């Protein structure tokens, strides 16, 4: 085993233990309360989980994307909400390391081990179609003045550093880094979403927030490119989370089918139940293969956006469908809030929307195939 393989193995072991001890026991409570219990997020920080992908020069653990994706996969088996909180953070850090000037990275990345970062594109006037956003950044001397309203932002309210997609001209966009402590910045409404109920998803409002020129991420005009790149990075990790949700659904279906009997026969011995379990297992394996391929392509500096879109497009549908199959295996109990299956379906459903809808991803996949 190489040193890197050994380090990856230790990371996965640590994440599995944290998940088993700290997250899985709270999975139902997080869904029912619609928030993380007090102190849980601090334990995520204390255990170094925000630092997984942060480069070592900024005090991070510097794991590559294959390891990070596998780590979120294991976490999502116990609790998908926290895995999505970390996904939002990791994909944002990726944009700093790819596009950030050294002075910006030196200023912000050392804090990324204890402060959450978020990426903000969506607005009331533009989700799937970011050219429709209204947020404006106007150059004033050495500064930019930003005004706008971002909604449905993963970790909105929890995150402290926000990348904000803004228009600089009617047909030109850029991404700026905004700190929650800057005058004119405030948190708005938290969404009351039906799934991933632990993950805060909320609004951030910018009223003439003044940011220095070096808070520009990349260059003026690169806004959409950075947004697309953030989507691709997020989709790899969401594929990993979806494979974790399917694994969770599979475990519930298998355990129940061993315990429950149809008169004297355990359910798993019935062919109709075997078909459902086999379908869930195949979905888990396909989703895993897609996210791991996407992560490997990214690490190898190959094109990975199409595979990433496939991982999330296929994985989100498969996780919802597999949850439905698992619910059926559990019969009436599966339909009860006392069992976790129904919330796994709601959790998975979010990923048919977040980081690009299925329709947008399938359009991108089709365009990529036609261009080959
Ligand atoms: C859990 C969650 C987390 C999120 N986190 C973030 C985040 O961190 N940052 C962020 O910026 N946003 C985030 N979002 C917002 C998300 O990116 C948007 O909801 C998504 O892009 C869709 O935009 P919309 O809601 O405005 O729907 P619309 O764009 O209005 O789409 C409505 C319907 O029309 C279809 N449609 C629209 N335009 C097209 C088109 N051109 N081609 C084909 N079909 C189209 C869509 O597929 C959809 O079915 C999050 C959303 C959720 C649910």
């Amino acid at each position: 085993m190489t040193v890197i393989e050994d380090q990856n193995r230790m990371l996965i072991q640590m994440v599995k233990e944290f998940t088993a001890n700290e997250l899985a026991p709270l999975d139902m409570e997080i869904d029912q309360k619609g928030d993380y219990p007090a102190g849980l997020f601090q334990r995520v920080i204390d255990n170094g989980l925000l630092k997984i992908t942060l480069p070592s020069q900024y005090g991070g653990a510097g794991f590559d994307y294959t390891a990070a994706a596998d780590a979120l996969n294991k976490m999502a088996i116990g609790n998908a909400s926290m895995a999505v909180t970390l996904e939002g953070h990791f994909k944002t850090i990726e944009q700093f390391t790819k596009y950030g000037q050294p002075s910006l990275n030196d200023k912000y990345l050392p804090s990324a081990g204890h402060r959450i970062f978020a990426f903000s594109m969506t607005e009331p006037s533009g989700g799937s179609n970011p050219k429709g956003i209204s947020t404006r950044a106007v150059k004033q001397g050495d500064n930019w003045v930003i005004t706008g309203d971002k909604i449905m932002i993963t970790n909105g309210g929890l995150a402290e550093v926000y990348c904000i997609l803004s228009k600089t001209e009617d047909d030109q966009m850029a991404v700026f880094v905004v700190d929650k402590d800057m005058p004119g910045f405030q948190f708005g409404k938290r969404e009351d979403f039906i799934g991933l109920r632990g993950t805060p998803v909320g609004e951030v409002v910018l009223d003439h927030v003044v940011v220095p020129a070096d808070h520009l991420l990349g260059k003026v005009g690169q806004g959409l490119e950075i947004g697309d790149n953030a989507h691709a990075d997020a989709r790899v990790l969401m594929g990993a989370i979806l494979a974790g949700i399917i694994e969770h659904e599979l475990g519930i279906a298998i355990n129940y089918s061993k315990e429950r009997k149809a008169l004297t026969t355990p359910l798993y011995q019935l062919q109709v139940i075997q078909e459902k379990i086999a379908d869930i297992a195949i979905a888990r394996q396909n989703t895993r293969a897609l996210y791991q391929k996407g992560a490997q392509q990214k690490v190898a500096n190959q094109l990975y956006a199409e595979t990433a879109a496939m991982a999330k497009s296929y994985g989100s549908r498969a996780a919802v469908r597999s949850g439905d199959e698992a619910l059926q295996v559990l019969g009436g109990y599966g339909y009860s809030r006392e069992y976790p299956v129904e919330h796994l379906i709601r959790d998975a459903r979010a990923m048919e929307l977040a980081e690009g809808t299925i329709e947008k991803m399938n359009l991108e996949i089709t365009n990529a195939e036609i261009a080959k």
Side-chain angles (χ1 to χ4, degrees):
M1 192 180 274
T2 66
V3 174
I4 290 182
E5 284 168 349
D6 199 37
Q7 286 170 343
N8 290 354
R9 188 190 53 75
M10 286 194 289
L11 170 71
I12 297 305
Q13 187 56 32
M14 186 271 279
V15 170
K16 276 182 168 174
E17 280 170 22
F18 184 85
T19 302
N21 297 332
E22 302 277 1
L23 296 176
L26 297 172
D27 184 55
M28 293 290 280
E29 181 185 332
I30 289 170
D31 177 66
Q32 282 154 8
K33 289 199 175 150
D35 211 345
Y36 298 132
L40 179 62
F41 190 65
Q42 189 56 47
R43 292 198 290 283
V44 167
I45 296 172
D46 294 344
N47 279 272
L49 293 167
L50 295 192
K51 297 182 182 177
I52 289 174
T53 59
L54 186 65
S56 54
Q57 70 195 97
Y58 303 110
F63 283 99
D64 75 16
Y65 233 58
T66 58
D70 284 341
L72 293 192
N73 172 254
K74 300 301 174 216
M75 183 175 284
I77 299 169
N79 180 253
S81 282
M82 190 59 82
V84 168
T85 280
L86 294 187
E87 167 272 316
H89 180 62
F90 293 169
K91 69 122 188 260
T92 309
I93 291 177
E94 288 298 298
Q95 310 323 307
F96 277 77
T97 54
K98 179 160 183 184
Y99 295 101
Q101 298 293 329
S103 62
L104 180 69
N105 290 350
D106 289 346
K107 196 162 162 184
Y108 274 97
L109 288 183
S111 71
H114 60 272
R115 301 174 87 204
I116 280 254
F117 289 31
F119 202 92
S120 315
M121 297 173 67
T122 305
E123 300 189 6
S125 58
S128 302
N129 306 290
K131 287 181 183 163
I133 65 168
S134 309
T135 296
R136 273 280 181 174
V138 178
K139 192 91 196 270
Q140 278 187 8
D142 286 341
N143 298 323
W144 290 90
V145 181
I146 308 175
T147 298
D149 182 6
K150 296 288 179 186
I151 58 166
M152 300 189 203
I153 306 308
T154 298
N155 298 323
L158 178 68
E160 301 190 37
V161 178
Y162 292 81
C163 290
I164 305 283
L165 180 71
S166 314
K167 281 191 173 167
T168 45
E169 305 281 346
D170 284 344
D171 57 353
Q172 189 183 60
M173 298 215 205
V175 175
F176 297 90
V177 174
V178 175
D179 202 297
K180 77 169 180 44
D181 294 326
M182 288 175 163
F185 181 99
Q186 62 177 17
F187 295 127
K189 174 185 162 219
R190 176 173 171 158
E191 297 295 339
D192 188 13
F193 278 156
I194 60 168
L196 294 176
R197 297 213 18 103
T199 320
V201 181
E203 179 182 22
V204 299
V205 182
L206 299 99
D207 182 8
H208 295 89
V209 176
V210 179
V211 300
D214 70 352
H215 279 220
L216 174 66
L217 195 62
K219 297 185 182 134
V220 170
Q222 262 186 321
L224 283 181
E225 177 193 323
I226 299 173
D228 286 346
N229 198 68
H231 272 325
D233 290 341
R235 290 169 184 176
V236 172
L237 299 179
M238 282 197 168
I241 292 168
L242 288 157
I245 291 176
I246 302 173
E247 178 99 39
H248 194 172
E249 293 165 343
L250 181 63
I252 293 168
I254 288 176
N255 289 340
Y256 191 83
S257 73
K258 286 181 182 167
E259 286 164 15
R260 181 77 167 177
K261 292 191 172 69
L263 290 179
T264 54
T265 312
L267 291 184
Y268 76 88
Q269 290 182 1
L270 304 176
Q271 194 174 352
V272 284
I273 299 294
Q274 290 166 359
E275 280 169 13
K276 295 184 201 315
I277 290 174
D279 280 347
I280 302 172
I282 293 166
R284 185 266 323 263
Q285 212 65 9
N286 282 339
T287 307
R288 183 188 283 169
L290 282 168
Y291 92 71
Q292 289 184 336
K293 179 78 180 167
Q296 284 158 9
Q297 287 173 328
K298 176 175 159 67
V299 170
N301 282 323
Q302 296 166 354
L303 295 176
Y304 63 99
E306 185 187 5
T307 317
M310 287 178 173
K312 191 171 91 73
S313 178
Y314 173 83
S316 56
R317 266 287 84 193
V320 170
R321 201 171 46 240
S322 298
D324 194 48
E325 301 271 40
L327 187 154
Q328 200 67 14
V329 171
L330 269 66
Y333 296 110
Y335 195 58
S336 166
R337 285 189 196 278
E338 283 181 31
Y339 286 77
V341 184
E342 62 84 24
H343 96 67
L344 298 181
I345 298 173
R346 289 186 277 110
D347 289 354
R349 191 65 179 81
M351 284 171 269
E352 294 191 46
L353 301 162
E355 303 296 350
T357 61
I358 288 230
E359 293 78 11
K360 281 291 294 218
M361 287 185 294
N362 289 351
L363 189 67
E364 288 170 31
I365 293 165
T366 305
N367 287 341
E369 290 296 325
I370 285 174
K372 280 179 184 169

